Amino acid sequence: MGVGDGGDEGIRKRGCSCSKDDFLPEESFRSWGNYGRALMETPLRLKDRILTRSMDHKELVEVKAQSQNEMKKTLNWWDLMWFGIGAVIGAGIFVLTGLEAKEHAGPAVVLSYVVSGVSSMLSVFCYTEFAVEIPVAGGSFAYLRVELGDFMAFIAAGNILLEYVIGGAAVARSWTSYFATLCNHQPNDFRIVAQGLSTDYRYLDPIAVVVIAVICILAVLSTKGSSRFNYIASIFHIAVILFIIIAGLMKADTKNYSSFSPYGARGIFQASAVLFFAYVGFDAVSTMAEETKNPGRDIPIGLVGSMAITTLAYCLLAVTLCLMQSYKDVNEDAPFSIAFEAAGMGWAKYIVAAGALKGMTTVLLVGAVGQARYLTHIARTHMLPPWLAHVNEKTGTPVNATVVMLAATAIIAFFTKLEILSNLLSISTLFIFMLVAFALIVRRYYASGVTTPANRIKLFAFLLLILVSSIATAAYWATTPDGWIGYAITGPIWLVGTVGIWLLVPQAREPKIWGVPLVPWLPSLSIAINIFLLGSIDKASFTRFGVWTLIILVYYFLLGLHASYDTAKEVNNNGSQWKNVEEGAVPSRTGSGL
């Protein structure tokens, strides 16, 4: 039953039953005839969804109301800071540091962490302004809907949800491996071997499923309870990191730093593209803005504070590892454990494994909380079934979305080997971070009714220069190992684009509470760095990105487009239309969707 058709009764019914109206309540799906007419109108509807931008008020009021119940505002800056630390500092730091030091950067891996950290901090700034101004559960999906429209928001959201599921499954499989280390066993000792299945899928992992089930219960019961568990566990993790740094530096040998950058600048940047993924996770914290008591104060402190602490911890760990051992001797699979063993402190590997277990547990927890809120807000717009948007009245959490996302994660984790999941590391995070920075410039410099046509054309032209120069720089880096002429061309073009916006396009909107400093310089630099790092990603990742994007486009054209179009055109009980609070809407042929 549509929101505008059945009033309160329909809303109550949706929360406690599972019928067709819970999944496809829109007018386009009421009959095969309606669906056929909707498909015939696909070009018109797609044009509307591409050109139409949502509004802050719509996201904060009308869309949020689709969940029937409010999420509980229980979080403060302390909670958000520890959520950020818990989301970002996982097991990857204990593996990626050694791998990149040995293969690409040497002791200069610390500079790789600095480059990745700067890129992440720029993205944090962009996310923070949006989260303060639009404190809803949708995170980047909501921000992109407001500034770039439904279509781009859906493409971005579909990719980040895939990464959450694949990433969560990989972390759950790793949890089993580190638990086996603590118990002096091989990882497959705790897995069931199904001989009839393919080699890549025969090692069934019930422990990973149990861990995900426990995480699901925690995430469903209470966001504040999840926060308490997270910061207690994160404090333990910080203690483990401090132990590694202090004990490791006691075994330091400065001779190991004699060849600081054996692979040169290219190695440093190649490593930074991989190590960037050690910072991924803070975007999940932005989805908790709807449950934050004072977004204007708490979100900037929480997000920026957690990223600063994380970057410092990563750099200190990288310095410690390369002072303990020559980068040539670093073990790729368990760098810190083997380094301590070589230093006569073999017992320390248990502390490292315990820290990694904690890291993976909180990464799973914060990821579960974040991905469910992404899914909830997408479902509020009816791009996905509105049943997923339901917020439980008692717990104030999106139970349906949490269970569905973690069920998908558990199924993949149960069957799929870690190596297969690792190969599915997505480029979607860099893509979305770039889009959010792009959207921030659009937000500051374009507002309907304020920006003149001439300034709109200038803004578009300068943004195009920034994008083209950034893509050209990344392509030149990937294809010309020793050249420099290309940078002498692309760098000034990027500069012209950024200076052009700065000097020639007046800002159309000032941030109400908290704003990114040095606009357009910081978001423009974020666009350039994210695209540059994309140029260092392997071809297989781009292929996977393209295939998955094609799959979600098929879903969008068959279902999501028509459901969201109908919802946007619905007439509410007061007789006003949602499209009145959207910019750039294309008039429908009949005025109500069909």
Side-chain angles (χ1 to χ4, degrees):
M1 186 170 289
V3 174
D5 295 329
D8 295 337
E9 182 183 348
I11 292 177
R12 286 194 301 270
K13 190 176 181 181
R14 183 177 297 167
C16 61
S17 65
C18 283
S19 66
K20 175 182 173 293
D21 284 347
D22 292 310
F23 296 91
L24 294 171
E26 298 79 20
E27 186 66 29
S28 292
F29 306 106
R30 294 208 176 273
S31 69
W32 285 106
N34 282 8
Y35 184 54
R37 287 192 293 274
L39 290 178
M40 292 291 291
E41 288 191 0
T42 295
L44 175 75
R45 293 176 172 217
L46 179 61
K47 181 181 178 183
D48 177 88
R49 293 296 88 195
I50 290 174
L51 297 180
T52 300
R53 303 194 305 159
S54 183
M55 302 286 283
D56 293 9
H57 178 76
K58 178 182 171 103
E59 298 298 312
L60 290 167
V61 181
E62 283 93 341
V63 175
K64 196 162 76 169
Q66 295 289 297
S67 287
Q68 306 152 44
N69 301 302
E70 291 273 347
M71 293 185 185
K72 294 180 180 179
K73 294 184 178 293
T74 58
L75 305 178
N76 55 33
W77 66 267
W78 176 262
D79 298 303
L80 294 179
M81 187 176 71
W82 286 107
F83 263 133
I85 293 170
V88 175
I89 305 181
I93 180 63
F94 297 118
V95 177
L96 291 176
T97 305
L99 180 65
E100 293 310 307
K102 187 167 187 174
E103 300 258 329
H104 294 122
V109 70
V110 64
L111 298 183
S112 301
Y113 271 118
V114 170
V115 172
S116 300
V118 168
S119 175
S120 298
M121 186 63 84
L122 292 175
S123 297
V124 164
F125 277 128
C126 297
Y127 266 81
T128 299
E129 179 168 331
F130 275 115
V132 167
E133 299 266 317
I134 314 171
V136 293
S140 58
F141 172 75
Y143 314 151
L144 296 178
R145 247 173 65 85
V146 168
E147 299 305 333
L148 303 182
D150 267 18
F151 183 71
M152 287 304 301
F154 181 79
I155 298 301
N159 276 284
I160 206 164
L161 286 175
L162 173 71
E163 183 161 310
Y164 269 129
V165 171
I166 297 299
V171 171
R173 296 281 295 197
S174 295
W175 202 100
T176 302
S177 299
Y178 275 92
F179 181 69
T181 300
L182 274 178
C183 300
N184 282 321
H185 279 268
Q186 292 299 312
N188 286 337
D189 291 348
F190 292 150
R191 293 183 177 125
I192 301 168
V193 182
Q195 298 293 349
L197 298 177
S198 164
T199 305
D200 292 331
Y201 302 97
R202 70 173 50 158
Y203 294 99
L204 311 183
D205 197 333
I207 292 179
V209 175
V210 171
V211 170
I212 291 171
V214 172
I215 292 296
C216 182
I217 293 168
L218 274 172
V220 161
L221 287 179
S222 167
T223 305
K224 187 66 177 180
S226 298
S227 172
R228 290 195 183 102
F229 175 84
N230 172 73
Y231 67 68
I232 290 170
S234 295
I235 288 171
F236 169 74
H237 199 187
I238 293 294
V240 170
I241 289 172
L242 287 174
F243 164 79
I244 293 172
I245 293 168
I246 294 169
L249 289 178
M250 290 172 64
K251 301 291 184 179
D253 184 353
T254 54
K255 292 179 182 177
N256 292 327
Y257 254 50
S258 58
S259 178
F260 181 69
S261 183
Y263 302 101
R266 178 165 293 273
I268 292 171
F269 284 110
Q270 281 181 328
S272 69
V274 175
L275 295 175
F276 180 86
F277 293 100
Y279 289 93
V280 169
F282 72 82
D283 52 313
V285 181
S286 71
T287 68
M288 302 174 199
E290 192 171 317
E291 296 155 273
T292 302
K293 295 176 182 176
N294 185 353
R297 180 198 66 184
D298 297 337
I299 292 173
I301 296 174
L303 275 174
V304 176
S306 62
M307 186 54 63
I309 292 170
T310 299
T311 303
L312 178 62
Y314 281 178
C315 290
L316 289 174
L317 282 168
V319 169
T320 301
L321 178 65
C322 292
L323 282 173
M324 287 180 72
Q325 264 191 321
S326 167
Y327 73 92
K328 298 174 184 176
D329 300 325
V330 168
N331 183 275
E332 295 178 11
D333 298 317
F336 287 96
S337 297
I338 300 302
F340 276 114
E341 214 165 302
M345 298 174 65
W347 52 269
K349 72 176 182 180
Y350 298 107
I351 297 177
V352 174
L357 272 181
K358 174 269 132 201
M360 287 182 284
T361 304
T362 54
V363 165
L364 281 170
L365 177 60
V366 181
V369 172
Q371 68 193 20
R373 280 143 186 79
Y374 261 111
L375 192 62
T376 297
H377 203 75
I378 298 168
R380 286 168 171 173
T381 68
H382 288 222
M383 289 189 199
L384 290 173
W387 179 80
L388 294 167
H390 177 65
V391 172
N392 185 272
E393 184 176 6
K394 183 178 180 181
T395 64
T397 58
V399 174
N400 296 349
T402 305
V403 172
V404 166
M405 288 296 290
L406 289 178
T409 303
I411 290 169
I412 294 172
F414 185 60
F415 289 101
T416 313
K417 283 178 68 176
L418 182 59
E419 288 78 8
I420 302 299
L421 295 172
S422 298
N423 290 334
L424 289 172
L425 275 175
S426 181
I427 64 171
S428 57
T429 300
L430 286 166
F431 175 66
I432 291 164
F433 288 176
M434 181 273 292
L435 282 180
V436 170
F438 185 91
L440 181 66
I441 296 178
V442 173
R443 182 174 181 82
R444 288 288 194 95
Y445 289 92
Y446 176 76
S448 181
V450 176
T451 306
T452 65
N455 285 329
R456 186 175 61 211
I457 292 171
K458 285 189 286 186
L459 176 63
F460 175 79
F462 290 135
L463 281 171
L464 192 62
L465 286 179
I466 291 170
L467 284 175
V468 169
S469 62
S470 299
I471 292 169
T473 301
Y476 188 75
W477 169 266
T479 57
T480 313
D482 302 316
W484 60 270
I485 295 175
Y487 306 128
I489 298 171
T490 60
I493 293 175
W494 174 85
L495 191 62
V496 167
T498 307
V499 170
I501 295 175
W502 183 44
L503 294 180
L504 301 178
V505 184
Q507 287 201 28
R509 181 190 282 119
E510 292 289 338
K512 301 182 186 74
I513 304 171
W514 189 93
V516 176
L518 300 176
V519 173
W521 294 98
L522 288 190
S524 180
L525 187 59
S526 180
I527 291 171
I529 292 177
N530 283 316
I531 291 177
F532 181 78
L533 292 176
L534 279 171
S536 300
I537 302 298
D538 61 284
K539 181 181 176 182
S541 293
F542 281 96
T543 302
R544 185 194 63 258
F545 178 78
V547 169
W548 174 247
T549 300
L550 183 62
I551 291 170
I552 62 176
L553 278 175
V554 170
Y555 166 84
Y556 183 73
F557 289 133
L558 292 178
L559 296 171
L561 167 63
H562 307 294
S564 61
Y565 179 88
D566 285 356
T567 302
K569 304 303 180 186
E570 271 185 351
V571 180
N572 66 24
N573 292 334
N574 295 322
S576 61
Q577 292 183 329
W578 280 27
K579 68 175 180 179
N580 291 338
V581 291
E582 293 184 322
E583 293 183 18
V586 177
S588 61
R589 291 180 180 172
T590 63
S592 60
L594 271 177

